[in-house]
Amino acid sequence: MSKAYDFLKDCNFYYLLTFDSDYPAGRPISGILEADGVMYFGTRTDKAVYRQLKQNPHVGLVAFNKGRWLRLQADAEETFDASVREQYLSRLPAEIRRFGTADNPLLAVFALHMVKADLHAGENSEDITEEKNRWQI
């Protein structure tokens, strides 16, 4: 598993940043999955975040936990792979309650293709961008 995924899964939530026209838009989200070296998150197709992701796939994720924080830049790509959608729901019980089944048309699952990622602790930071090749589909 990647360092970024290990950090995110230990957080209760993290912030997903998208663009709404020319302005940043952020919201807390909590579900994250890593499968076959790719990280995934989900949302609903009837939310503004889905529309924003389809218009501009460049995203940021920011998380804070135990005195350390992660800043990640990535491109989000929607996946329609049934096995990934099943894994997403099976590993995240809260998402099962939200969506029920993987074929629910309200469920959208996005793969993250990392551009840059940094872990920070006080004045120290660690560039973990070199892991990006593991996240490519």
Side-chain angles (χ1 to χ4, degrees), residues 1 13 16 29 34 38-39 75 79 95 107 110 121 127 137:
M1 292 187 193
F13 65 92
L16 174 68
I29 62 175
E34 187 175 68
V38 179
M39 283 201 323
D75 293 320
T79 182
E95 299 297 90
L107 173 63
F110 286 84
D127 183 344
I137 292 180

Side-chain angles (χ1 to χ4, degrees), residues 69 119-126:
W69 61 283
L119 277 173
H120 298 268
E123 295 296 318
N124 300 319
S125 68
E126 177 184 1

Side-chain angles (χ1 to χ4, degrees), residues 81-95:
D81 184 316
S83 67
V84 169
R85 293 167 64 91
E86 287 286 343
Q87 285 180 69
Y88 181 78
L89 290 181
S90 69
R91 293 189 194 171
L92 301 164
E95 299 297 90

Side-chain angles (χ1 to χ4, degrees), residues 15-84:
Y15 291 93
L16 174 68
L17 308 168
T18 58
F19 290 96
D20 190 5
S21 297
D22 293 332
Y23 295 95
R27 79 274 304 141
I29 62 175
S30 60
I32 193 81
L33 165 73
E34 187 175 68
D36 298 322
V38 179
M39 283 201 323
Y40 299 91
F41 70 94
T43 190
R44 292 175 57 106
T45 58
D46 61 351
K47 293 203 169 254
V49 64
Y50 179 78
R51 178 183 46 77
Q52 293 161 5
L53 289 164
K54 296 304 273 184
Q55 289 176 352
N56 184 345
H58 304 308
V59 300
L61 278 80
V62 178
F64 182 83
N65 193 24
K66 300 176 185 170
R68 296 177 12 163
W69 61 283
L70 170 74
R71 180 177 52 210
L72 185 146
Q73 296 171 329
D75 293 320
E77 178 183 22
E78 187 172 9
T79 182
F80 299 96
D81 184 316
S83 67
V84 169

